[in-house]
């Protein structure tokens, strides 16, 4: 079967192709072209759709790889079909990333990217990662420990936690190679998370990355949350219950606002709308689900923007979350949100 996606014509035989990821790949093209002309390894290529689009739409120089020889045949056919020439490897991605240097590595696996991150951190200066194993990132503690060496439990805002556990894992891995990380843009959509970030080798800058790692203390009775840096502790919530400690995770920024601004200037339609929501989000690692809080209070759920405005008028930073229409991101503590809902 032949599929047209963006400027690419793609044969989807003998290799995995997911049409539902088109929106993600559309946004990726904006990311790649905003970075400017550079070299990318599409480390888990399947049909090669992402890399081929990066060549045709973002002017990048792309190398392809897939461990499956059948997928490699399909990638080669697709390159010919689009009249482009590029190097194609048939290797285990982790081995390849260790022995060869690539400026930018794109990891778009099925399921967990966990096992590929370490090798990707050795040489790359830019890293793009997809994760579809959301349970391990945001709610299932045994899977979280196995895949990301982090404790997770289901909260009222699983995606805020999940995205931060993923970035936290990348940061902790990068730190082992004395590298600092700087997220360019990260998002949650449907069944996946996607993160684009810069890696920089610098001893002094690793300190900044370490400061952006920590934990979130969470109360499963009232949904209160508190950020904890390394070495800090909390035992009891103000409601009297014990808090659970989630993490380690990333408590730093999820985006570079200037970078997202440049992406927005190239974007149209639904992509632009989505990016505007991302830009509007406040840079604070805590979020709250209004319906969950209201169910504890037995109150009806107020409009999200009404709560956001009231928090702002009290001097807090607040915004909706791009991944959820009824979640609020804010530096206000739960008491303020409860007070606003109750009055
Ligand atoms: N990035 C693709 C989808 C990739 S699906 C897209 O945008 O459409 C994941 C691919 O990774 C499969 O083709 C599979 O053969 C390949 N793969 C799995 N494990 C691998 C490994 N260790 N090294 C290289 N390729 C691998």
């Amino acid at each position: 079967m032949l599929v047209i996606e963006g400027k690419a014509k793609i044969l989807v035989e003998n290799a995995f192709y997911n049409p539902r990821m088109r929106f993600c790949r559309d946004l990726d093209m904006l990311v790649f072209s905003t970075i400017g002309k550079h070299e990318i390894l599409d480390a888990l290529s399947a049909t090669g759709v992402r890399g081929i689009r990066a060549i045709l739409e973002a002017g990048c120089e792309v190398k392809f790889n897939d461990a499956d020889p059948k997928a490699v045949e399909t990638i080669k056919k697709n390159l010919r079909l689009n009249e482009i020439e590029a190097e194609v490897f048939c290797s285990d991605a982790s081995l390849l990333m260790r022995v060869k240097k690539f400026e930018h590595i794109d990891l778009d696996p099925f399921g967990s990217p966990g096992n590929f991150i370490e090798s990707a951190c050795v040489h790359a200066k830019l890293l793009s990662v997809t994760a579809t194993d959301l349970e391990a990132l945001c709610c299932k503690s045994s899977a979280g420990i196995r895949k990301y060496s982090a404790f997770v439990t289901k909260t009222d805002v699983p995606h805020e936690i999940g995205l931060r556990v993923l970035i936290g894992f990348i940061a902790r891995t990068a730190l082992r190679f004395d590298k600092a990380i700087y997220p360019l843009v990260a998002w949650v959509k449907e069944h996946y998370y996607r993160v684009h970030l810069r890696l920089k080798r610098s001893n002094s800058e690793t300190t900044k990355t370490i400061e952006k790692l920590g934990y979130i203390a969470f109360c499963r009775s009232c949904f209160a949350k508190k950020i904890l840096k390394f070495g800090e502790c909390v035992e009891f919530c103000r409601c009297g219950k014990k808090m659970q400690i989630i993490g380690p995770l990333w408590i730093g920024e999820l985006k570079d606002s200037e970078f997202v601004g440049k992406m927005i200037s190239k974007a149209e339609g639904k992509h632009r709308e989505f990016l505007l929501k991302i830009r509007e989000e406040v840079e604070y690692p805590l979020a709250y689900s209004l319906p969950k809080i209201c169910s504890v209070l037995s109150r009806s759920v107020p409009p999200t923007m009404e709560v956001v405005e009231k928090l702002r008028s009290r001097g807090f930073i607040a915004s909706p979350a791009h991944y959820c229409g009824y979640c609020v991101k804010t530096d206000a503590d739960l008491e303020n949100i409860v007070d606003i809902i109750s009055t």
Side-chain angles (χ1 to χ4, degrees):
M1 194 176 70
L2 186 75
V3 172
I4 308 281
E5 196 189 288
K7 290 190 180 163
K9 297 186 275 265
I10 302 294
L11 275 172
V12 293
E13 57 189 33
N14 301 324
F16 180 78
Y17 171 80
N18 184 356
R20 283 176 67 199
M21 288 300 271
R22 181 183 176 147
F23 183 85
C24 177
R25 289 186 286 261
D26 290 346
L27 288 181
D28 289 342
M29 296 312 126
L30 292 170
V31 172
F32 299 162
S33 62
T34 301
I35 291 168
K37 191 177 180 314
H38 67 290
E39 182 207 48
I40 306 176
L41 172 69
D42 185 0
L44 307 157
S45 297
T47 60
V49 57
R50 198 177 298 260
I52 290 172
R53 289 191 59 186
I55 294 172
L56 298 175
E57 297 171 44
C60 293
E61 187 192 316
V62 181
K63 302 203 165 142
F64 297 80
N65 178 59
D66 202 289
D68 178 353
K70 285 192 184 144
V72 166
E73 282 314 306
T74 301
I75 297 164
K76 289 182 176 166
K77 279 189 194 167
N78 281 327
L79 287 169
R80 283 196 293 274
L81 192 62
N82 289 279
E83 293 170 16
I84 46 187
E85 281 183 23
E87 197 167 355
V88 187
F89 300 96
C90 183
S91 163
D92 174 76
S94 297
L95 287 177
L96 181 66
M97 294 184 288
R98 288 265 175 181
V99 296
K100 279 190 169 290
K101 287 189 186 179
F102 303 95
E103 183 183 1
H104 184 169
I105 292 175
D106 193 317
L107 293 173
D108 179 65
F110 327 111
S112 179
N115 288 338
F116 298 108
I117 304 277
E118 180 175 286
S119 299
C121 284
V122 178
H123 300 299
K125 295 189 168 66
L126 288 153
L127 190 55
S128 300
V129 180
T130 312
T132 55
D133 57 336
L134 304 198
E135 284 220 315
L137 286 161
C138 70
C139 41
K140 210 167 165 208
S141 64
S142 60
I145 299 283
R146 274 189 285 117
K147 296 292 169 191
Y148 298 100
S149 312
F151 174 80
V152 292
T153 187
K154 184 140 194 190
T155 69
D156 56 323
V157 285
H159 295 325
E160 186 70 36
I161 302 287
L163 198 53
R164 290 177 180 284
V165 169
L166 176 62
I167 300 176
F169 180 77
I170 298 170
R172 288 186 289 140
T173 310
L175 283 170
R176 285 198 262 123
F177 298 96
D178 297 318
K179 290 184 176 174
I181 68 149
Y182 296 94
L184 294 171
V185 59
W187 66 84
V188 177
K189 188 119 171 77
E190 293 163 7
H191 63 292
Y192 72 91
Y193 299 159
R194 181 80 166 149
V195 178
H196 297 273
L197 45 88
R198 277 189 199 283
L199 296 169
K200 191 171 171 199
R201 192 183 192 111
S202 154
N203 264 338
S204 58
E205 291 182 44
T206 55
T207 315
K208 291 190 217 160
T209 296
I210 293 168
E211 282 166 1
K212 290 174 188 170
L213 283 166
Y215 298 87
I216 289 176
F218 169 67
C219 174
R220 58 168 67 254
S221 299
C222 71
F223 306 119
K225 299 178 194 77
K226 190 176 180 324
I227 299 163
L228 299 176
K229 298 212 164 168
F230 288 133
E232 292 182 340
C233 74
V234 61
E235 268 202 32
F236 291 98
C237 181
R238 290 169 78 143
C239 75
K241 299 274 166 41
K242 270 198 169 175
M243 294 187 102
Q244 281 186 302
I245 309 296
I246 298 169
L249 45 66
W250 182 250
I251 54 173
E253 61 288 332
L254 295 179
K255 62 178 174 293
D256 173 332
S257 294
E258 204 184 316
F259 187 87
V260 176
K262 285 184 191 160
M263 284 178 71
I264 290 171
S265 66
K266 299 172 197 271
E268 288 171 4
K270 60 184 180 184
H271 306 110
R272 188 180 164 83
E273 267 169 48
F274 188 70
L275 290 168
L276 287 170
K277 280 193 207 165
I278 289 178
R279 183 167 67 177
E280 191 197 348
E281 236 178 54
V282 296
E283 281 299 354
Y284 196 76
L286 299 185
Y288 300 85
S289 158
L290 297 177
K292 295 276 175 168
I293 295 171
C294 288
S295 75
V296 175
L297 301 172
S298 305
R299 291 267 173 174
S300 57
V301 185
T304 307
M305 272 322 284
E306 191 181 301
V307 177
V308 165
E309 294 298 344
K310 287 185 178 167
L311 285 165
R312 287 178 183 159
S313 70
R314 291 182 179 202
F316 297 107
I317 58 165
S319 73
H322 76 274
Y323 51 77
C324 156
Y326 44 78
C327 293
V328 170
K329 295 188 68 163
T330 181
D331 64 345
D333 51 22
L334 182 69
E335 283 85 76
N336 276 287
I337 301 170
V338 168
D339 191 49
I340 285 168
I341 292 170
S342 312
T343 50

